[in-house]
Amino acid sequence: MSVFVLDTNKKPQNPVHPAKARLLLTEGKAAVFRQFPFTIILKETVLDVASNPLRIKIDPGSRETGIAVINDDTGEIVFAMELRHRGQQIKNNLESRRAIRRSRRNRKTRYRKPRFDNRTRAKGWLPPSLKSRVHNIETWVNRLCRFCNIQAISMELVRFDMQKIQNPEISGVAYQQGELMGYEVREYLLEKWDRTCAYCGKTDIPLEIEHIVPRSKGGSNRVSNLTLACTACNRKKGNKPLEEFLSRKPGLLKRIQKQSKVPLKDAGAVNTTRWDLFRTLKKTGLPVETGSGGLTKFNRTTRGLHKTHWLDAACVGKSAPEKMFQIDKAVLIVKADGHGSRQMCRVNKFGFPRTTAKSTEKKVKGFQTGDIVKAVVTSGKKVGTYTGRVAVRKSGSFNIKTVDKTVQGISWKYCRLLHASDGYSYNTTC
């Protein structure tokens, strides 16, 4: 993962290798501008050098979204990250709030009266749990545009080609007989059956498309009649009906029959938000390229890349370079945590307050809960260096949550701010 560089006027320059950034920091020619993603700012004006145009590529997902910044000319993956959404958490919070509100109404205690006449929704409205996914991606696209010279955007607009899935026996259509033939249905089944053999439960092995009702018994190629099986299970089943093959495993039989009819919840969330995300990205003024999930997998397979969210993002669209490489294998893992709760005090299971109202002042001694700090304690029982997220207290005695533990009672005087709270938590993987 390259290091982003800003000039003295905070304009993006060409990203540099981590070793080059370390040298600039050691020689005092640059300073750390931002910790995540790691960005340095030059202290001296350099000659105007045109920065290389880069493309940001996005593989939207219901739970995780892959994002990659690529140089189309060289094929270099300049930056890679995986963004983890909090849509399910938002949904659970809203359901909890709704349950508490209805409970108060049923007990005829003080409550906010239902306002049915005000329940109108604007055109294009999306539930908060879905809209948060769009906002997360929008936030990071805007951030990356500030740190590097983004000139184009590519996104996976459709996860699956629904026409090809619903009508796999169509003939005479040009795209049906092209290079992507079979990729759409296979990718759909891999997602639906969690990349696992439906019969023996094995993973991380080659899987084959298998007909639940055999073709010789009148079964069709419709996706509701398809599943995944390893080679051994596929041969063992042959053209037997599912009921006969699993006659001694009624539990597994019932699960497969139920799973074959279950729609993809995560795919539904992606399909619901895709056009809203597309319109949001168009507002940046940059050209937006789109592609399907089948094309993404085709690009990844032909280039011999393994399955990850950020590599899927790098392979989105027809603009994917024939050869891609990454100078540093580090990938930034970003998790959306939100900015806290608007609730002034915590409530018990009956909906009554159990704490006092929280203070309107978020900052204590210049720090606020969620900031990433580095504390160097030089005296007392807690001598040592601690880096992590801080939980502030009015007394000035903070708690710091490190990777493996939580250290309590650290004075604010020992703390130095590394990264201000922005609603996300960060980790790096190689």
Side-chain angles (χ1 to χ4, degrees):
M1 185 166 55
S2 299
V3 176
F4 296 128
V5 181
L6 302 178
D7 65 10
T8 54
N9 297 319
K10 297 184 180 180
K11 292 183 179 180
Q13 303 294 298
N14 288 324
V16 299
H17 191 280
K20 176 66 174 178
R22 192 180 302 113
L23 182 62
L24 291 172
L25 293 172
T26 304
E27 295 178 349
K29 297 180 180 180
V32 177
F33 181 79
R34 187 181 179 88
Q35 199 75 21
F36 302 102
F38 194 73
T39 308
I40 62 175
I41 184 170
L42 300 176
K43 293 183 178 180
E44 301 175 357
T45 304
V46 296
L47 296 177
D48 292 334
V49 179
S51 55
N52 297 327
L54 303 174
R55 177 186 294 270
I56 184 170
K57 312 192 81 172
I58 304 168
D59 175 34
S62 173
R63 302 180 185 182
E64 295 187 21
T65 292
I67 298 178
V69 178
I70 290 186
N71 187 328
D72 287 338
D73 297 332
T74 63
E76 177 188 356
I77 302 176
V78 175
F79 174 79
M81 64 173 282
E82 293 184 356
L83 176 59
R84 297 176 181 174
H85 301 291
R86 58 189 293 263
Q88 187 61 41
Q89 179 186 349
I90 292 175
K91 181 177 181 294
N92 294 338
N93 291 344
L94 291 174
E95 289 178 346
S96 175
R97 185 182 69 175
R98 179 178 62 183
I100 292 174
R101 183 184 300 140
R102 289 181 175 179
S103 175
R104 290 199 301 267
R105 288 171 181 163
N106 292 334
R107 293 197 308 269
K108 299 186 183 300
T109 54
R110 184 182 65 178
Y111 65 92
R112 189 182 74 182
K113 294 183 178 180
R115 297 170 292 183
F116 296 101
D117 294 338
N118 294 345
R119 294 184 177 183
T120 57
R121 293 173 177 171
K123 185 179 180 180
W125 177 88
L126 289 176
S129 58
L130 297 181
K131 193 67 177 179
S132 68
R133 295 173 169 90
V134 178
H135 286 161
N136 289 339
I137 298 174
E138 179 186 13
T139 295
W140 278 94
V141 168
N142 291 334
R143 285 185 183 180
L144 293 175
C145 287
R146 293 199 301 267
F147 301 143
C148 55
N149 184 24
I150 302 294
Q151 294 296 320
I153 300 175
S154 297
M155 68 165 288
E156 193 175 274
L157 182 62
V158 288
R159 192 71 183 91
F160 308 105
D161 189 329
M162 302 308 293
Q163 181 183 3
K164 190 177 294 185
I165 289 174
Q166 295 299 332
N167 302 284
E169 296 175 351
I170 289 178
S171 61
V173 182
Y175 78 85
Q176 181 80 13
Q177 307 301 330
E179 291 181 306
L180 292 178
M181 182 178 179
Y183 275 86
E184 302 289 348
V185 173
R186 184 172 179 81
E187 181 68 9
Y188 182 91
L189 293 173
L190 286 171
E191 292 288 336
K192 184 174 183 177
W193 295 93
D194 201 22
R195 304 178 185 276
T196 304
C197 175
Y199 301 129
C200 65
K202 292 182 180 179
T203 57
D204 298 326
I205 58 173
L207 297 173
E208 301 174 352
I209 297 179
E210 206 275 322
H211 292 78
I212 297 176
V213 178
R215 292 295 303 276
S216 60
K217 306 293 184 182
S220 69
N221 283 331
R222 295 184 67 85
V223 72
S224 58
N225 189 46
L226 300 178
T227 184
L228 294 174
C230 63
T231 303
C233 290
N234 198 4
R235 291 179 178 177
K236 186 177 180 180
K237 179 177 181 292
N239 65 343
K240 297 178 183 178
L242 185 65
E243 292 78 7
E244 178 184 344
F245 179 62
L246 298 177
S247 58
R248 297 183 180 181
K249 300 179 180 179
L252 180 59
L253 172 63
K254 185 177 180 181
R255 184 183 66 80
I256 292 177
Q257 290 176 334
K258 182 180 179 180
Q259 180 69 13
S260 64
K261 300 178 182 179
V262 172
L264 275 175
K265 178 181 177 181
D266 291 338
V270 173
N271 285 338
T272 303
T273 58
R274 56 193 172 120
W275 285 110
D276 188 65
L277 176 60
F278 176 75
R279 289 188 289 267
T280 300
L281 295 177
K282 291 288 286 185
K283 292 179 182 178
T284 61
L286 299 174
V288 180
E289 176 198 33
T290 61
S292 71
L295 176 59
T296 299
K297 183 174 182 180
F298 175 77
N299 290 338
R300 177 168 53 81
T301 304
T302 55
R303 288 157 179 77
L305 302 175
H306 58 278
K307 168 71 176 178
T308 61
H309 292 287
W310 64 273
L311 278 176
D312 276 347
C315 295
V316 167
K318 294 182 178 180
S319 63
E322 288 298 324
K323 294 183 179 180
M324 290 183 285
F325 67 94
Q326 189 182 16
I327 58 174
D328 186 71
K329 301 301 181 183
V331 177
L332 185 64
I333 306 298
V334 181
K335 181 182 177 183
D337 294 326
H339 294 275
S341 173
R342 294 183 181 181
Q343 199 170 15
M344 290 303 295
C345 58
R346 301 299 179 187
V347 297
N348 58 19
K349 63 179 180 179
F350 301 107
F352 291 101
R354 63 177 177 83
T355 63
T356 58
K358 60 185 179 183
S359 173
T360 56
E361 283 293 331
K362 287 189 175 182
K363 290 198 173 183
V364 177
K365 306 295 184 180
F367 300 93
Q368 76 176 53
T369 298
D371 288 346
I372 299 177
V373 301
K374 181 178 182 180
V376 182
V377 183
T378 56
S379 62
K381 296 181 179 180
K382 298 183 177 66
V383 174
T385 302
Y386 310 99
T387 302
R389 290 194 172 273
V390 65
V392 301
R393 301 289 182 270
K394 286 184 179 180
S395 62
S397 180
F398 299 162
N399 296 345
I400 299 178
K401 185 177 181 180
T402 62
V403 176
D404 53 352
K405 61 180 178 179
T406 298
V407 185
Q408 301 182 353
I410 302 297
S411 173
W412 67 274
K413 297 179 181 179
Y414 298 120
C415 298
R416 179 172 65 89
L417 181 65
L418 296 180
H419 190 89
S421 175
D422 58 358
Y424 298 92
S425 57
Y426 302 93
N427 193 12
T428 303
T429 183
C430 296

